[in-house]
Amino acid sequence: WHSNSKYRRTVWQCNHKFNNDNKCETPHLEEDAIKELFIKATNKLLADKDEIIANFETMKATAFNTDELENRKVELQNELEVVADMIQNIINENAHTTLDQEEYHRKYYGLVKKFDVTKAELEAVTEQIKDTITRHKNLEIFLEELKSQGELVIEFNPLLWNSLVDYVTIFEKDKVQVVFKNGFTI
């Protein structure tokens, strides 16, 4: 605001503040206030730093284990290959011998449907694996940054913000929620 005057200041507001007739009632905040809120929330987080790190070390073996998903992915890939071969076989059989076309279409479309369902499930499992790995990497980065911090954060650091904060929700001017990448909410 006031970008061309000596009163210039950076203000953050909802992306939907002026959409349609339903204007967002969330107040705007100046950037300095957001930085101050971040420092306060981060210092509260740092108070529990050792416990957060210990909890992560305890749960990471189970929470981010993709062995079961990887096994399911291999099963689905094998099933996809078998169904694809069956489809190819029925096409070849229809091309080389006389078959009842209604029976052929019934079998063919049944196999195609099975192929599509299996492919969709394989894509979903692959996405779950990717999501789990991404969440694990993000949490590792979060924890490394947390470990490297001292007892208190004194000034705003954009790199610290990017490695620790998932998102911030502004309810009212004095009611703000900072959600960190480990799921911890202050």
Side-chain angles (χ1 to χ4, degrees):
W1 288 356
H2 305 287
S3 63
N4 295 328
S5 75
K6 64 181 180 178
Y7 303 107
R8 176 187 166 92
R9 59 191 175 141
T10 303
V11 175
W12 291 83
Q13 65 187 21
C14 177
N15 290 339
H16 307 289
K17 184 85 171 169
F18 300 107
N19 285 6
N20 304 325
D21 293 332
N22 301 330
K23 294 181 179 23
C24 179
E25 299 296 323
T26 306
H28 65 271
L29 287 178
E30 292 185 23
E31 188 166 293
D32 290 338
I34 293 173
K35 289 177 179 179
E36 188 177 315
L37 290 166
F38 166 72
I39 291 169
K40 286 179 185 177
T42 303
N43 286 332
K44 285 182 182 178
L45 182 74
L46 288 173
D48 296 329
K49 175 170 92 171
D50 294 333
E51 183 181 337
I52 292 168
I53 293 168
N55 287 343
F56 173 74
E57 293 300 329
T58 303
M59 66 163 230
K60 78 177 179 180
T62 56
F64 299 108
N65 185 341
T66 59
D67 291 346
E68 201 173 298
L69 290 171
E70 294 286 350
N71 291 338
R72 182 66 182 143
K73 180 179 176 181
V74 169
E75 289 173 9
L76 290 167
Q77 287 171 330
N78 291 337
E79 187 176 334
L80 216 52
E81 288 177 26
V82 168
V83 174
D85 287 343
M86 290 171 72
I87 291 171
Q88 191 59 50
N89 289 341
I90 198 167
I91 291 171
N92 289 339
E93 184 181 353
N94 188 49
H96 293 89
T97 60
T98 306
L99 295 176
D100 176 23
Q101 290 303 295
E102 284 184 29
E103 180 69 17
Y104 164 74
H105 284 293
R106 188 182 59 73
K107 286 181 181 178
Y108 174 80
Y109 289 116
L111 289 170
V112 168
K113 183 177 180 182
K114 182 168 179 54
F115 182 89
D116 290 342
V117 167
T118 304
K119 183 180 176 192
E121 187 178 349
L122 176 62
E123 289 170 354
V125 167
T126 303
E127 188 61 35
Q128 274 185 289
I129 293 169
K130 181 180 163 189
D131 180 57
T132 301
I133 291 169
T134 301
R135 284 186 298 115
H136 185 229
K137 296 267 188 231
N138 286 339
L139 201 51
E140 287 283 354
I141 293 167
F142 169 85
L143 288 168
E144 286 304 313
E145 195 61 45
L146 193 64
K147 288 176 185 176
S148 71
Q149 292 304 308
E151 294 301 313
L152 286 175
V153 173
I154 308 225
E155 65 182 42
F156 180 80
N157 178 339
L159 293 175
L160 186 62
W161 169 281
N162 287 329
S163 61
L164 295 182
V165 175
D166 193 12
Y167 60 92
V168 176
T169 304
I170 311 297
F171 298 102
E172 298 171 9
K173 203 140 193 114
D174 295 329
K175 188 176 178 189
V176 178
Q177 186 178 60
V178 178
V179 179
F180 290 96
K181 289 186 178 178
N182 69 337
F184 200 76
T185 302
I186 296 178

